[in-house]
Amino acid sequence: MSAKKNFNDIALTPLHLEKLHQTPFKNKAAGLPAVFSSMKQMLQYMSVANALKSSLALNQKGGFDCPGCAWPDPDDERSRIGEYCENGIKAIAEEAQQKAIGADFFATHSVEEMGTWTDFELGKKGRLAEPLLLKEGATHYTAIGWDNAFKMIAAEINSLSNPDEAAFYTSGRTSNEAAFLYQLFVRMTGTNNLPDCSNMCHESSGKALSETIGVGKGTVTLDDIHDAELLIVIGQNPGTNHPRMLTAMEKCKQNGGKIIAINPLPEPGLLHFTNPQNPGKLLSGGTALADLFLQVRINEDVALLKAIMLMMLEAETQQPGTVFDRAFIEAHTSGYDYFIKSLKQHSVDACIAQTGVDKAAIEAAAEMIAQKEKIIICWAMGLTQHENAVDNIKEIVNLLLLKGSIGKPGAGVCPVRGHSNVQGDRTMGIWESAPDSFLNKLEDVFQFKTSRNHGYDVVNSINAMHDGRLKLFFAMGGNFLSAAPDTLYTADALRKTNLTVHVSTKLNRSHLIHGRQALILPCLGRTDTDMQQGMPQFVSCENSMGVVQMSKGVLNPPSKHLLSEVSIVCRLAHATLGDRFNVNWRALENDYNLIRDLVEKTIPGFEKYNERIKQPSGFYLPNAAKQRVFNTVTGKAHFSALPMNSNNLKTGEYIMMTIRSHDQFNTTVYGMNDRYRGIHNERRVVMMHENDMKEAGFQRHDVVNISSHFNGEMRSVQNFIVVPVPIAKRCVATYFPEANALVHIDAVAHTSNTPASKSVIVKIYKA
Ligand SMILES: Nc1nc2c(c(=O)[nH]1)N[C@H]1C(S)=C(S)[C@@H](COP(=O)(O)OP(=O)(O)OC[C@H]3O[C@@H](n4cnc5c(=O)[nH]c(N)nc54)[C@H](O)[C@@H]3O)O[C@H]1N2
Ligand SMILES: Nc1nc2c(c(=O)[nH]1)N[C@H]1C(S)=C(S)[C@@H](COP(=O)(O)OP(=O)(O)OC[C@H]3O[C@@H](n4cnc5c(=O)[nH]c(N)nc54)[C@H](O)[C@@H]3O)O[C@H]1N2
Ligand SMILES: [Mo]
């Protein structure tokens, strides 16, 4: 196919059909190709010296926290050549580019021209080098001094008729120190409008877990994963998105553990793994991971879990006390009888029929679960981004409660977080609906009155911009436009604001879709050294398992005009609030230890923060559920009686999930290949089962248009290429963010308001 460019709106990734090349879907992950791929990536954009320096410091005690995912580092021994994975290396190579783009670059490229570039091209231009302003009506960004930029934002904030007319987004890379000051500043302006990437990510997990077990986080450590008798990995693709988790899964297997994988795709990393950090294993061919793979249809996990629990119930009824943990249920849970009553209303066969999985495989899973006592369930976006996402996770909790598998070694819930500090940002108060206990404490420590209005989350922010209720949109990192659902609707929303501000490391599409005026504020990244008044500073992050660790960059920043996120918050707060509150923003900017002292005063679990953060492996935050203390209304863990969901696909309809390729970090496209799935050089693809293709009359690599249908409204995207893959029937997959325009703004998970970007009902037509 010849390369062609064609686009209607610069909010969308332009159509840029390249030369698609398809190879067989792989059946194993990592190994030597991963080592080669990561080396190639690093050396393409970095000097050998910087590549070495950064890979040696990656995830080492005293080094920097990988800006990739939030998977924890081992507490004890760490690989000496760096605790890295292929995709961590790509994340660093992406951030640590030496090329920097400043006002000269933006003088030669208009906003409109940049809109014709793909996300891959945008990202490869280099690091942002100086603050930039897009004046009203201007076609190009031009340089602006830092002070003027802060004055401009401050004037805008101070002229709002109501503080709730501004929203302050956070992506999950922001450090604890920056996040704490940022939410404090935002709350001092008088609003709780703190939408964050969590709203699109694990919000459903947080909601379900806090209601059922009293803590919105996971309850396991890395050692628990190693010690589990059974790991269930559901709705997650660790081979691509958390590659170091494969090492933990391998250890679990070596200790005699079993693994069940539940996914509409036979993701290579779930099935087989060759550890690239273990030279012996590279030659011997690696470890078979999953003992059982259940190829569930998209969003039929509730049916699957119900089928499994019905089978377990049957076995328990026949031999009471052999399957369920009666003592645990009795002592620590509530709602068991009602839950069982509601479960019995479903028939096993009807549940099985919905899942698309063989009965024998489900029976095998039920039997494995029945026999084990130490079970951990890991999940990610495959469960959280559906309308019934919160129920998905409550159903997982039901299963674990039946087995008494929460709050003991080798057992528990493991929502695997995405962004490297997304969990820490929440702990620091980046939350549009923070609990009163948090706000009360903030008031105590800082002597001011917080607003008690419920703030806007991501979806509510977009709607508020659309309706003119939001005038200013400020983003601490991220790529809001491309990460959010319903791309064109979100673009319209952003265009209605007076001012959009992005604190960023790299150019992205959100800089091109803007309010009446727009600012880009370039900041230091995780890999950069951070000096304040001649003194080196470090920050800290919390990983997916509640460990808080120091992170200290090692590379020279790519431009001398960059500020740290902490500096940006402090200077903006000072420009906006002056001396109105009892906070010495200048002192905090100069010494991050002082920020940690304030965190210690405000947030439980951070006692002796400055002392303990210097421990080589950091420290664990307390987790009550892990100790079988359930901070729910009843003081017990709750069983939930949940309805069955059904996708009800009509003829010609498919259910579509929007997923990540192996060469991307969210909206940052590192490369054009999805190596494990065998898709190369093209991202505008729709993955389909061969039988479905045949039925629809599609040939391999036909070009199609896709439309989605929600609440009587239609959305569509053009020119996607059909690729046959071994996906569950009637299920299709596209990449995020190319297909985000199909996710209707109102298609959200009940109660968590997370966009349902993994269950989009679509029709597919030949283009
Ligand atoms: N390299 C890299 N690492 C990353 C990221 C990245 O983009 N690149 N992103 C980071 C972030 S922010 C996050 S949140 C995580 C995301 O990590 P994942 O959740 O693993 O990412 P997705 O690609 O969205 O994959 C979802 C997986 O769930 C499956 N799935 C989809 N729908 C269903 C369903 O209904 N049921 C079941 N059982 N499975 C389903 C898909 O087939 C896919 O394997 O990764 C983090 N780490
Ligand atoms: N359809 C669909 N949509 C989705 C998802 C999906 O699976 N399907 N996943 C959702 C999920 S799980 C998430 S978490 C969101 C992600 O949403 P976001 O977090 O908003 O998006 P990212 O692509 O991670 O943001 C990348 C940008 O962050 C900036 N950046 C990188 N590092 C730093 C840093 O250290 N500091 C600052 N200030 N900026 C930095 C760079 O400019 C880069 O362009 O997307 C969500 N959207
Ligand atoms: Mo995420």
Side-chain angles (χ1 to χ4, degrees), residues 69 87 201-202 234-238 240-242 262-265 267 296-301 380-383 385-386 416-419 657-662 664-666 670 677 758:
C69 72
N87 279 340
C201 186
H202 267 295
I234 175 169
Q236 194 202 345
N237 179 19
T240 286
N241 298 312
H242 305 90
I262 304 176
N263 201 301
L265 277 170
E267 303 285 20
V296 68
R297 287 198 184 118
I298 295 173
N299 203 24
E300 294 294 1
D301 301 271
M381 298 304 102
L383 291 196
Q385 300 175 333
H386 301 283
V416 183
R417 300 281 161 175
H419 264 300
M657 54 183 182
T658 52
I659 56 177
R660 293 156 170 79
S661 85
H662 193 63
Q664 74 182 85
F665 191 94
N666 299 340
Y670 301 138
R677 299 192 187 111
K758 296 276 193 280

Side-chain angles (χ1 to χ4, degrees), residues 383-595:
L383 291 196
T384 63
Q385 300 175 333
H386 301 283
E387 281 174 59
N388 50 287
V390 177
D391 284 359
N392 280 343
I393 291 132
K394 287 185 174 174
E395 207 74 271
I396 279 182
V397 172
N398 285 337
L399 194 155
L400 291 172
L401 292 180
L402 287 175
K403 296 294 300 175
S405 255
I406 289 190
K408 69 180 181 190
V413 287
C414 181
V416 183
R417 300 281 161 175
H419 264 300
S420 51
N421 198 38
V422 62
Q423 188 160 316
D425 290 346
R426 256 308 148 83
T427 307
M428 292 298 115
I430 303 290
W431 198 352
E432 81 288 348
S433 57
D436 280 339
S437 54
F438 178 87
L439 298 177
N440 292 342
K441 192 73 192 174
L442 215 54
E443 292 191 346
D444 269 5
V445 175
F446 295 97
Q447 295 296 307
F448 77 109
K449 201 95 204 95
T450 56
S451 161
R452 298 293 161 129
N453 294 347
H454 197 302
Y456 296 137
D457 61 12
V458 164
V459 166
N460 290 333
S461 294
I462 297 168
N463 283 324
M465 285 188 250
H466 232 274
D467 303 346
R469 282 174 284 138
L470 268 184
K471 305 270 185 334
L472 184 147
F473 178 78
F474 184 104
M476 182 59 81
N479 183 359
F480 189 82
L481 169 81
S482 303
D486 220 342
T487 316
L488 291 178
Y489 181 86
T490 298
D492 274 350
L494 287 162
R495 286 174 176 134
K496 287 183 177 165
T497 59
N498 286 341
L499 177 64
T500 44
V501 185
H502 286 89
V503 178
S504 311
T505 50
K506 301 287 292 280
L507 183 60
N508 66 44
R509 209 163 289 284
S510 294
H511 303 130
L512 311 179
I513 300 300
H514 47 83
R516 199 160 46 78
Q517 300 193 83
L519 283 165
I520 300 177
L521 307 181
C523 67
L524 296 176
R526 199 63 72 67
T527 48
D528 300 320
T529 50
D530 182 355
M531 300 289 284
Q532 301 292 347
Q533 304 292 316
M535 292 296 288
Q537 305 291 327
F538 66 86
V539 292
S540 45
C541 297
E542 174 184 342
N543 67 31
S544 204
M545 293 179 179
V547 181
V548 183
Q549 266 181 308
M550 166 194 289
S551 175
K552 197 170 179 183
V554 293
L555 302 179
N556 285 332
S559 150
K560 61 179 191 306
H561 302 296
L562 306 185
L563 291 183
S564 72
E565 290 182 351
V566 167
S567 294
I568 290 174
V569 174
C570 287
R571 295 188 195 188
L572 176 60
H574 190 258
T576 311
L577 306 171
D579 299 323
R580 268 195 279 152
F581 297 87
N582 188 19
V583 181
N584 188 341
W585 301 103
R586 288 224 171 87
L588 295 170
E589 179 184 358
N590 293 342
D591 182 359
Y592 298 2
N593 286 323
L594 302 179
I595 309 173

